[in-house]
Structure formats: C-alpha cells, structure tokens
Amino acid sequence: QVRVFPNSCSHKHMGKEKGRDSILEPLSLPERPGCTAPPDNSMPVPCLLCTESCSPAEKEALLKHMVLEHKLVISDVKLIADFQRYILYWKKRFAEHPITEFCSVIRTNSEGPVERQEDYFLLCDVLPEDRVLREQLQQKRLEAILEQQQKERNETIFHRTCMFCTEEFTGNRSFLLNHMAKEHDFNMGLPDNIVFCEQFLDTLQRKLDNLDCLLCNKTQRQVDVLYAGVRSRQTRLESEKNRFYEKFYILNHFELGKTWEEVQSEDDREMMEDHDDDWSDWQDHPVCAVCLFCEHQSETMDRIYSHMEETHGFDLHKIKAELGLNFYEQVKLVNFIRREIHQCQCYGCQDKFSSKTQVLEHLMDAKHVMALPEKHKWDQPQYYFPTYENDALLCALSDSESESESCEQRKDIPVIAEDISNLQALKQKSVLNQLLKEKTIFN
C-alpha cells in the first residue's frame, strides 16, 4: 500500500515508537496527471465543454457531439487506453484555463470569405501534457492486464469442457488449450500469451453455437461442416488477419495501436539498419517536483525553490551556501526533512504532532523552518535512501560552489616527484627491507 502525504499520522505507519523509525512501507509523492483512482465505468462520460454526457459505450456519439457543437477534435482516440479517465482529466483542465492553451487551432477555408471560415480545436499528443497523460493511462492499463494474466497463469480452479469433444479439464487453463491444439488442430496460441481466457473461450463458444466461422465470421448451415472447416485449416487465432481477437493476446497490449507482428517487424528492420547515435530529436518528459512542506508541484526547479522560499520561508540555496553542502549532504538533508514531516515531527525541535497540518503550523509559528538540528542528526547513511521513491527534487540538486572552487584550487597545487637519482640509497632505506626481515624471522 502506498501512502501519499496523509493529513493524519497512523500509529502503525508513521511517527516514532520509543525513538525508533517506524516507516514500514515504500512511499510515493503525488503524481500528475495520473495519480487519481480510476473512475467508475458505470458513470457517464461528460462533454469537455458543456453539460452533455453519455455512457462509456456511446463514445462515438460524444465525439460527434464535440466536433459538431464545439469544433473540438481529439486525435487518435483509439490509442487512448482509458477514454473516460482521459475525458475527466481534460474536463478539469479546460475549466481552469482557456482551450487555446492546450489545443492547436485549425482554420478552415483560410483563403475564402470570412463568413465561411471556421476554427477547429485539435487536442493531440503534440502537447507534452497530453502525451504524458496518454502514456500513463496506457501504463496503468498494461499493469492491470499483466496482473490479470499472472492470476490466470497461476490459477488452479479452472474447469471447462472442450468445445470440440466431451472431455473435461480441471486445474490450469493450459491443459485445455494444449489439448485443443494437439487433438483438434485448433491453436489459440501459447497459454502464457493469453489473457482474459474465460472471456476468450466464451466468445469462441458463442460463435460456434451460432455456426459462425471463427476466421471469416460466415455462417454455416451445418455443425459438422463448420467443425471440419476449422480442423482442416489448422486455425491460428493470433494471426494478424483476426483483429477481433487481438485483445486476448498479451503481446498486443505492449504498444498501443500495434499488434505483436507489427512490433516484431519493426524490431527486425531496426536490427538490419545502421543507426547513427543521433540524439538531436530527444524530448524529455516534464518531471514534477513536489514541495518539502505541502503538495504543490512545479515542472521546473526554479519554481519549486521560489515556492518554498515565498510560501514557507525555506531557502535551500541559502542553507547550501552557509553550510557548504555537497551533493550527497543535500540528498541526506532533503530525505531527513521529508521523513520528519511525514512522521508528523518538527525537524527543528523534535516535537510530535497528530497531523501534518499541525506540524506545518508549528514550523511557521515557532520559526523553525530554517532551524536545522545539529548536522550529526541528519548527516547519517540512512538518509542516502529516498523517503519517497519518486522524489524528483533529488534529481535537481547540485554540488556547492565552494566544492567546485576547491576542486579548481587543488588543480593548481604542484606535485613534486620523488628523487630517484640515487636508487641504491632508496633501496637501503626502503621499509620493504624491514618487512622482509620480519617475514624471515617469522618463518
């Protein structure tokens, strides 16, 4: 379980019991834009710009409404892993800022009469915020699918009858799938590559009951003709021609919008081509750093430093300069402050409080924000390890100026070589002679 900046301190996970650190689990800072719980699929999906809404199954109607009524177009909708969550996120963002801050404006009939010109708004992943949102939604869906697949692979209570004979199989799904491939020439693919197996089998059984061909969806008149056709073709459902079954194969979920065969062909082409080590088109994703004292986030370090100084009176640059902190000492100090505040304890006077809010009020009222304890209390090896696993603030720390200056000064210190003009005298005075004597006596 991951806890994110709780407002109250539980006795089990936070605080210190008899002076001992009691954080027993990994912590994570809040992330944006994918840090909220997944929405309820039974809830309607709202329009981004008005009060209209529809059920998740009526996605196409909602997209049509936004194009016709609001001239708003969302690109590559089929590549959005969680459409409902995507819409809810942008609904909130559009309420905070004008639509032109997020969308590209496309003017139709730009060379024609003004009365025939129309402005359309395009929301696409060219915007870094949109790209990050899409990637995070895809990552969350992939994690859920991998978890489901692992559950099915380890399942031991599977029970089902073969679709082509009366033999029953109990235990693991692989027994049934291997049986159909070997005995009936019906190859669904490797069991470890399949996900949502029960739903997959139900779909196939329903098509067979309706006398629909599993490959071309044509309806046959007789059962034996349908079954004979399936067996004679040695059916492989994971073929690229069977798009209907893509969602049941785990490899098709790794890259959204691409099947496993398309990904494999791209990898093969990349191996055959020579690529220069050109990183000129590299685009780094924005990383949000979180304030040491509240949940405020900023995509640039200058903004987060300014926020901490203006809002909380904490000047990290000043502390670094006054104490001459190097990079590793800054890391330990940040992790120490994070841990103390998470455990509802003032890092200046060590007083305990019942909530994080009370700690922050105490820090401001008692003017303890810049009152650091003795260095030996926070300059400990345990604070090399991040209090929060995804603390982006640690990545922005830099060495102090005094340390870099001292390094420059050390470069100017002359190094005097040893005088080796009289090698015989050096050999007689060498400490190795004494060591050899001691070794001889010992032996």
Side-chain angles (χ1 to χ4, degrees):
Q1 183 183 6
V2 177
R3 297 182 183 273
V4 182
F5 275 110
N7 288 327
S8 61
C9 301
S10 68
H11 182 70
K12 178 179 179 181
H13 296 284
M14 291 178 291
K16 293 188 177 181
E17 299 178 5
K18 297 182 180 180
R20 295 181 61 187
D21 200 332
S22 59
I23 294 182
L24 305 178
E25 56 194 14
L27 306 173
S28 291
L29 292 166
E31 294 181 356
R32 175 165 79 88
C35 59
T36 57
D40 186 358
N41 289 329
S42 63
M43 297 293 292
V45 182
C47 173
L48 290 175
L49 298 171
C50 69
T51 58
E52 290 290 329
S53 63
C54 68
S55 65
E58 299 174 328
K59 178 174 66 176
E60 297 299 329
L62 179 63
L63 294 172
K64 182 178 179 180
H65 162 80
M66 289 190 290
V67 172
L68 296 179
E69 299 297 330
H70 308 291
K71 305 295 189 294
L72 175 61
V73 180
I74 301 176
S75 71
D76 298 322
V77 176
K78 66 178 182 179
L79 301 183
I80 300 176
D82 191 334
F83 180 74
Q84 182 182 14
R85 191 169 178 181
Y86 179 87
I87 292 294
L88 292 175
Y89 174 82
W90 282 117
K91 176 80 171 179
K92 180 181 177 182
R93 295 290 286 150
F94 282 2
E96 298 171 348
H97 300 280
I99 187 175
T100 51
E101 291 192 12
F102 307 107
C103 298
S104 302
V105 180
I106 302 175
R107 176 163 296 175
T108 61
N109 298 320
S110 58
E111 298 180 357
V114 177
E115 61 272 9
R116 299 188 61 182
Q117 295 179 0
E118 291 183 307
D119 288 342
Y120 282 82
F121 304 96
L122 177 63
L123 181 61
C124 61
D125 60 0
V126 173
L127 180 70
E129 184 176 354
D130 185 87
R131 183 179 67 251
V132 171
L133 174 61
R134 292 177 185 237
E135 291 176 353
Q136 290 188 355
L137 293 178
Q138 166 65 6
Q139 181 65 25
K140 289 183 180 296
R141 188 177 82 161
L142 179 58
E143 291 173 358
I145 290 175
L146 291 174
E147 183 179 354
Q148 175 66 23
Q149 185 211 27
Q150 188 62 33
K151 178 182 177 181
E152 293 180 7
R153 291 175 63 182
N154 298 332
E155 187 179 24
T156 58
I157 58 175
F158 178 86
H159 179 80
R160 200 176 184 100
T161 303
C162 176
M163 294 186 294
F164 304 101
C165 65
T166 59
E167 189 170 354
E168 295 185 1
F169 294 87
T170 303
N172 190 271
R173 60 181 184 169
S174 60
F175 300 143
L176 171 61
L177 303 185
N178 292 332
H179 163 78
M180 290 193 295
K182 182 178 180 181
E183 301 297 332
H184 305 289
D185 291 328
F186 184 76
N187 191 349
M188 292 177 61
L190 294 176
D192 287 344
N193 291 340
I194 294 176
V195 66
F196 309 120
C197 187
E198 288 281 3
Q199 182 183 354
F200 196 0
L201 293 171
D202 290 339
T203 301
L204 296 175
Q205 187 65 61
R206 185 164 54 251
K207 292 174 73 69
L208 291 177
D209 293 342
N210 295 332
L211 301 183
D212 294 335
C213 177
L214 300 180
L215 292 177
C216 63
N217 292 327
K218 293 182 179 179
T219 303
Q220 303 294 332
R221 295 182 179 180
Q222 297 179 356
V223 176
D224 53 349
V225 175
L226 174 64
Y227 279 43
V230 170
R231 290 167 178 161
S232 64
R233 297 180 185 182
Q234 294 186 348
T235 306
R236 293 183 62 87
L237 296 180
E238 75 273 26
S239 171
E240 63 176 348
K241 298 180 181 179
N242 295 284
R243 301 297 188 187
F244 180 77
Y245 305 109
E246 285 180 358
K247 64 180 180 180
F248 300 114
Y249 294 95
I250 191 68
L251 296 177
N252 292 326
H253 295 278
F254 289 147
E255 289 198 31
L256 202 59
K258 297 180 181 179
T259 65
W260 66 272
E261 292 185 339
E262 292 171 341
V263 174
Q264 187 178 36
S265 63
E266 289 180 358
D267 294 340
D268 293 340
R269 287 196 299 269
E270 290 178 359
M271 292 178 62
M272 296 175 63
E273 297 175 356
D274 293 329
H275 293 278
D276 296 331
D277 295 333
D278 183 13
W279 295 80
S280 60
D281 59 345
W282 172 262
Q283 293 182 352
D284 195 8
H285 293 171
V287 178
C288 291
V290 181
C291 173
L292 287 171
F293 306 97
C294 66
E295 297 184 9
H296 175 80
Q297 301 182 34
S298 295
E299 293 183 357
T300 62
M301 295 305 127
D302 291 338
R303 291 181 181 178
I304 201 67
Y305 289 142
S306 299
H307 164 79
M308 289 192 293
E309 183 177 357
E310 296 171 1
T311 305
H312 307 289
F314 183 81
D315 190 345
L316 184 58
H317 291 305
K318 182 178 179 181
I319 293 176
K320 180 181 71 172
E322 291 181 350
L323 300 182
L325 303 181
N326 60 30
F327 173 78
Y328 297 104
E329 290 171 334
Q330 294 176 67
V331 168
K332 288 187 280 189
L333 178 60
V334 169
N335 289 329
F336 168 76
I337 294 176
R338 291 266 196 222
R339 183 173 292 263
E340 292 296 292
I341 292 180
H342 178 79
Q343 297 183 129
C344 301
Q345 182 165 287
C346 173
Y347 55 79
C349 62
Q350 306 301 309
D351 286 350
K352 286 282 298 173
F353 298 90
S354 59
S355 69
K356 178 185 170 184
T357 303
Q358 293 182 2
V359 176
L360 298 181
E361 291 177 354
H362 165 78
L363 287 170
M364 298 298 293
D365 295 340
K367 301 185 184 304
H368 285 177
V369 175
M370 294 288 287
L372 298 179
E374 295 294 331
K375 187 175 181 180
H376 67 86
K377 289 190 176 182
W378 55 265
D379 191 11
Q380 299 292 332
Q382 70 190 71
Y383 297 116
Y384 278 125
F385 302 96
T387 302
Y388 294 94
E389 294 179 325
N390 58 341
D391 193 350
L393 184 61
L394 298 175
C395 302
L397 301 176
S398 59
D399 287 333
S400 62
E401 297 179 359
S402 60
E403 181 177 353
S404 60
E405 291 175 358
S406 63
C407 292
E408 292 294 333
Q409 293 175 359
R410 285 197 295 268
K411 292 180 181 179
D412 299 331
I413 298 177
V415 177
I416 301 175
E418 186 177 10
D419 183 10
I420 57 173
S421 58
N422 192 345
L423 292 178
Q424 189 63 30
L426 287 175
K427 291 180 181 180
Q428 294 177 354
K429 297 178 181 179
S430 175
V431 294
L432 295 177
N433 294 327
Q434 183 65 26
L435 293 175
L436 288 174
K437 292 180 180 178
E438 294 176 356
K439 183 177 180 180
T440 303
I441 296 174
F442 179 76
N443 292 335

